[in-house]
mmCIF file of all heavy atoms in Angstrom:
data_model
loop_
_atom_site.group_PDB
_atom_site.id
_atom_site.type_symbol
_atom_site.label_atom_id
_atom_site.label_comp_id
_atom_site.label_asym_id
_atom_site.label_seq_id
_atom_site.Cartn_x
_atom_site.Cartn_y
_atom_site.Cartn_z
ATOM 1 N N GLU A 255 0.567 -3.971 -67.110
ATOM 2 C CA GLU A 255 0.955 -2.568 -67.243
ATOM 3 C C GLU A 255 -0.309 -1.697 -67.551
ATOM 4 O O GLU A 255 -0.428 -0.581 -67.098
ATOM 5 C CB GLU A 255 1.976 -2.445 -68.363
ATOM 6 C CG GLU A 255 2.829 -1.198 -68.294
ATOM 7 C CD GLU A 255 3.462 -0.891 -66.954
ATOM 8 O OE1 GLU A 255 4.054 -1.800 -66.314
ATOM 9 O OE2 GLU A 255 3.299 0.248 -66.471
ATOM 10 N N ARG A 256 -1.181 -2.262 -68.358
ATOM 11 C CA ARG A 256 -2.435 -1.564 -68.685
ATOM 12 C C ARG A 256 -3.250 -1.205 -67.444
ATOM 13 O O ARG A 256 -3.798 -0.141 -67.269
ATOM 14 C CB ARG A 256 -3.212 -2.497 -69.650
ATOM 15 C CG ARG A 256 -4.392 -1.827 -70.277
ATOM 16 C CD ARG A 256 -5.228 -2.947 -70.959
ATOM 17 N NE ARG A 256 -6.318 -2.354 -71.702
ATOM 18 C CZ ARG A 256 -6.236 -1.990 -72.948
ATOM 19 N NH1 ARG A 256 -5.112 -2.126 -73.607
ATOM 20 N NH2 ARG A 256 -7.305 -1.428 -73.558
ATOM 21 N N ARG A 257 -3.354 -2.196 -66.564
ATOM 22 C CA ARG A 257 -4.118 -2.023 -65.305
ATOM 23 C C ARG A 257 -3.433 -1.025 -64.395
ATOM 24 O O ARG A 257 -4.059 -0.209 -63.713
ATOM 25 C CB ARG A 257 -4.263 -3.396 -64.589
ATOM 26 C CG ARG A 257 -4.952 -3.325 -63.275
ATOM 27 C CD ARG A 257 -6.476 -3.271 -63.381
ATOM 28 N NE ARG A 257 -7.085 -3.069 -62.074
ATOM 29 C CZ ARG A 257 -7.867 -2.031 -61.786
ATOM 30 N NH1 ARG A 257 -8.188 -1.112 -62.692
ATOM 31 N NH2 ARG A 257 -8.377 -1.905 -60.593
ATOM 32 N N ARG A 258 -2.072 -1.092 -64.385
ATOM 33 C CA ARG A 258 -1.327 -0.122 -63.567
ATOM 34 C C ARG A 258 -1.568 1.285 -64.067
ATOM 35 O O ARG A 258 -1.712 2.214 -63.293
ATOM 36 C CB ARG A 258 0.150 -0.456 -63.561
ATOM 37 C CG ARG A 258 0.507 -1.717 -62.764
ATOM 38 C CD ARG A 258 1.851 -2.280 -63.133
ATOM 39 N NE ARG A 258 2.955 -1.321 -62.975
ATOM 40 C CZ ARG A 258 3.586 -1.087 -61.846
ATOM 41 N NH1 ARG A 258 3.268 -1.748 -60.738
ATOM 42 N NH2 ARG A 258 4.497 -0.208 -61.771
ATOM 43 N N CYS A 259 -1.629 1.483 -65.363
ATOM 44 C CA CYS A 259 -1.915 2.760 -65.989
ATOM 45 C C CYS A 259 -3.293 3.246 -65.570
ATOM 46 O O CYS A 259 -3.507 4.427 -65.227
ATOM 47 C CB CYS A 259 -1.902 2.624 -67.535
ATOM 48 S SG CYS A 259 -0.512 3.326 -68.279
ATOM 49 N N ALA A 260 -4.218 2.354 -65.575
ATOM 50 C CA ALA A 260 -5.619 2.678 -65.207
ATOM 51 C C ALA A 260 -5.657 3.099 -63.724
ATOM 52 O O ALA A 260 -6.301 4.122 -63.341
ATOM 53 C CB ALA A 260 -6.541 1.531 -65.467
ATOM 54 N N LEU A 261 -4.992 2.328 -62.858
ATOM 55 C CA LEU A 261 -4.977 2.685 -61.453
ATOM 56 C C LEU A 261 -4.352 4.077 -61.225
ATOM 57 O O LEU A 261 -4.853 4.878 -60.479
ATOM 58 C CB LEU A 261 -4.144 1.675 -60.668
ATOM 59 C CG LEU A 261 -4.760 0.316 -60.397
ATOM 60 C CD1 LEU A 261 -3.721 -0.663 -59.802
ATOM 61 C CD2 LEU A 261 -5.981 0.439 -59.477
ATOM 62 N N ARG A 262 -3.237 4.343 -61.967
ATOM 63 C CA ARG A 262 -2.576 5.609 -61.883
ATOM 64 C C ARG A 262 -3.539 6.749 -62.294
ATOM 65 O O ARG A 262 -3.662 7.752 -61.600
ATOM 66 C CB ARG A 262 -1.378 5.613 -62.812
ATOM 67 C CG ARG A 262 -0.216 6.384 -62.397
ATOM 68 C CD ARG A 262 0.874 6.369 -63.458
ATOM 69 N NE ARG A 262 1.508 5.085 -63.579
ATOM 70 C CZ ARG A 262 1.801 4.476 -64.735
ATOM 71 N NH1 ARG A 262 1.567 5.081 -65.865
ATOM 72 N NH2 ARG A 262 2.364 3.313 -64.714
ATOM 73 N N GLY A 263 -4.176 6.581 -63.439
ATOM 74 C CA GLY A 263 -5.080 7.626 -63.957
ATOM 75 C C GLY A 263 -6.266 7.844 -63.080
ATOM 76 O O GLY A 263 -6.772 8.950 -62.939
ATOM 77 N N GLN A 264 -6.762 6.790 -62.424
ATOM 78 C CA GLN A 264 -8.001 6.867 -61.631
ATOM 79 C C GLN A 264 -7.732 7.440 -60.240
ATOM 80 O O GLN A 264 -8.584 8.181 -59.708
ATOM 81 C CB GLN A 264 -8.504 5.439 -61.436
ATOM 82 C CG GLN A 264 -9.877 5.185 -62.021
ATOM 83 C CD GLN A 264 -10.246 3.769 -61.721
ATOM 84 O OE1 GLN A 264 -9.478 2.821 -61.881
ATOM 85 N NE2 GLN A 264 -11.487 3.593 -61.247
ATOM 86 N N HIS A 265 -6.609 7.057 -59.613
ATOM 87 C CA HIS A 265 -6.499 7.302 -58.204
ATOM 88 C C HIS A 265 -5.331 8.279 -57.840
ATOM 89 O O HIS A 265 -5.323 8.778 -56.720
ATOM 90 C CB HIS A 265 -6.199 5.984 -57.475
ATOM 91 C CG HIS A 265 -7.264 4.964 -57.643
ATOM 92 N ND1 HIS A 265 -8.529 5.156 -57.130
ATOM 93 C CD2 HIS A 265 -7.261 3.808 -58.266
ATOM 94 C CE1 HIS A 265 -9.232 4.106 -57.427
ATOM 95 N NE2 HIS A 265 -8.522 3.238 -58.139
ATOM 96 N N LEU A 266 -4.376 8.491 -58.731
ATOM 97 C CA LEU A 266 -3.181 9.201 -58.345
ATOM 98 C C LEU A 266 -3.009 10.543 -59.097
ATOM 99 O O LEU A 266 -3.233 10.621 -60.340
ATOM 100 C CB LEU A 266 -1.950 8.373 -58.599
ATOM 101 C CG LEU A 266 -1.992 6.914 -58.043
ATOM 102 C CD1 LEU A 266 -0.691 6.181 -58.428
ATOM 103 C CD2 LEU A 266 -2.168 6.930 -56.526
ATOM 104 N N GLY A 267 -2.550 11.574 -58.407
ATOM 105 C CA GLY A 267 -2.141 12.793 -59.067
ATOM 106 C C GLY A 267 -0.669 13.065 -58.688
ATOM 107 O O GLY A 267 -0.232 12.672 -57.629
ATOM 108 N N PHE A 268 0.069 13.712 -59.596
ATOM 109 C CA PHE A 268 1.497 13.905 -59.415
ATOM 110 C C PHE A 268 1.890 15.410 -59.460
ATOM 111 O O PHE A 268 1.359 16.131 -60.305
ATOM 112 C CB PHE A 268 2.285 13.185 -60.502
ATOM 113 C CG PHE A 268 2.162 11.706 -60.416
ATOM 114 C CD1 PHE A 268 1.129 11.031 -61.142
ATOM 115 C CD2 PHE A 268 3.083 10.965 -59.657
ATOM 116 C CE1 PHE A 268 1.054 9.673 -61.018
ATOM 117 C CE2 PHE A 268 2.958 9.581 -59.609
ATOM 118 C CZ PHE A 268 1.946 8.904 -60.309
ATOM 119 N N VAL A 269 2.752 15.760 -58.548
ATOM 120 C CA VAL A 269 3.354 17.113 -58.609
ATOM 121 C C VAL A 269 4.881 16.969 -58.459
ATOM 122 O O VAL A 269 5.343 16.266 -57.528
ATOM 123 C CB VAL A 269 2.824 17.988 -57.391
ATOM 124 C CG1 VAL A 269 3.467 19.351 -57.350
ATOM 125 C CG2 VAL A 269 1.292 18.085 -57.493
ATOM 126 N N PHE A 270 5.616 17.618 -59.338
ATOM 127 C CA PHE A 270 7.078 17.465 -59.333
ATOM 128 C C PHE A 270 7.708 18.836 -59.047
ATOM 129 O O PHE A 270 7.159 19.891 -59.246
ATOM 130 C CB PHE A 270 7.559 16.915 -60.665
ATOM 131 C CG PHE A 270 7.049 15.554 -60.924
ATOM 132 C CD1 PHE A 270 5.999 15.373 -61.807
ATOM 133 C CD2 PHE A 270 7.631 14.446 -60.354
ATOM 134 C CE1 PHE A 270 5.468 14.092 -62.093
ATOM 135 C CE2 PHE A 270 7.146 13.142 -60.648
ATOM 136 C CZ PHE A 270 6.081 12.943 -61.471
ATOM 137 N N GLN A 271 8.989 18.745 -58.663
ATOM 138 C CA GLN A 271 9.791 19.956 -58.352
ATOM 139 C C GLN A 271 9.771 20.928 -59.516
ATOM 140 O O GLN A 271 9.681 22.124 -59.311
ATOM 141 C CB GLN A 271 11.185 19.514 -57.969
ATOM 142 C CG GLN A 271 12.128 20.676 -57.724
ATOM 143 C CD GLN A 271 13.459 20.208 -57.175
ATOM 144 O OE1 GLN A 271 13.665 19.013 -56.906
ATOM 145 N NE2 GLN A 271 14.410 21.112 -57.031
ATOM 146 N N ALA A 272 9.905 20.400 -60.736
ATOM 147 C CA ALA A 272 10.139 21.269 -61.953
ATOM 148 C C ALA A 272 8.833 21.666 -62.615
ATOM 149 O O ALA A 272 8.847 22.141 -63.770
ATOM 150 C CB ALA A 272 11.061 20.552 -62.867
ATOM 151 N N PHE A 273 7.677 21.513 -61.965
ATOM 152 C CA PHE A 273 6.362 21.901 -62.458
ATOM 153 C C PHE A 273 5.883 21.162 -63.687
ATOM 154 O O PHE A 273 4.722 20.720 -63.732
ATOM 155 C CB PHE A 273 6.324 23.444 -62.781
ATOM 156 C CG PHE A 273 7.025 24.336 -61.810
ATOM 157 C CD1 PHE A 273 7.807 25.408 -62.243
ATOM 158 C CD2 PHE A 273 6.874 24.141 -60.410
ATOM 159 C CE1 PHE A 273 8.450 26.245 -61.337
ATOM 160 C CE2 PHE A 273 7.555 24.982 -59.505
ATOM 161 C CZ PHE A 273 8.324 26.038 -59.943
ATOM 162 N N HIS A 274 6.749 21.037 -64.718
ATOM 163 C CA HIS A 274 6.371 20.390 -65.992
ATOM 164 C C HIS A 274 5.114 20.952 -66.571
ATOM 165 O O HIS A 274 4.161 20.229 -66.861
ATOM 166 C CB HIS A 274 6.265 18.875 -65.804
ATOM 167 C CG HIS A 274 7.573 18.226 -65.372
ATOM 168 N ND1 HIS A 274 8.728 18.342 -66.100
ATOM 169 C CD2 HIS A 274 7.882 17.526 -64.288
ATOM 170 C CE1 HIS A 274 9.707 17.745 -65.472
ATOM 171 N NE2 HIS A 274 9.247 17.198 -64.374
ATOM 172 N N LEU A 275 5.102 22.250 -66.783
ATOM 173 C CA LEU A 275 3.990 22.928 -67.434
ATOM 174 C C LEU A 275 4.418 23.354 -68.865
ATOM 175 O O LEU A 275 5.576 23.449 -69.193
ATOM 176 C CB LEU A 275 3.581 24.186 -66.623
ATOM 177 C CG LEU A 275 3.107 23.904 -65.217
ATOM 178 C CD1 LEU A 275 3.000 25.244 -64.466
ATOM 179 C CD2 LEU A 275 1.786 23.154 -65.189
#
Side-chain angles (χ1 to χ4, degrees):
E255 200 50 48
R256 190 191 185 90
R257 176 80 187 122
R258 286 162 58 85
C259 253
L261 285 171
R262 212 184 291 137
Q264 243 181 314
H265 302 294
L266 309 178
F268 294 89
V269 177
F270 297 100
Q271 176 172 353
F273 318 138
H274 298 303
L275 299 169

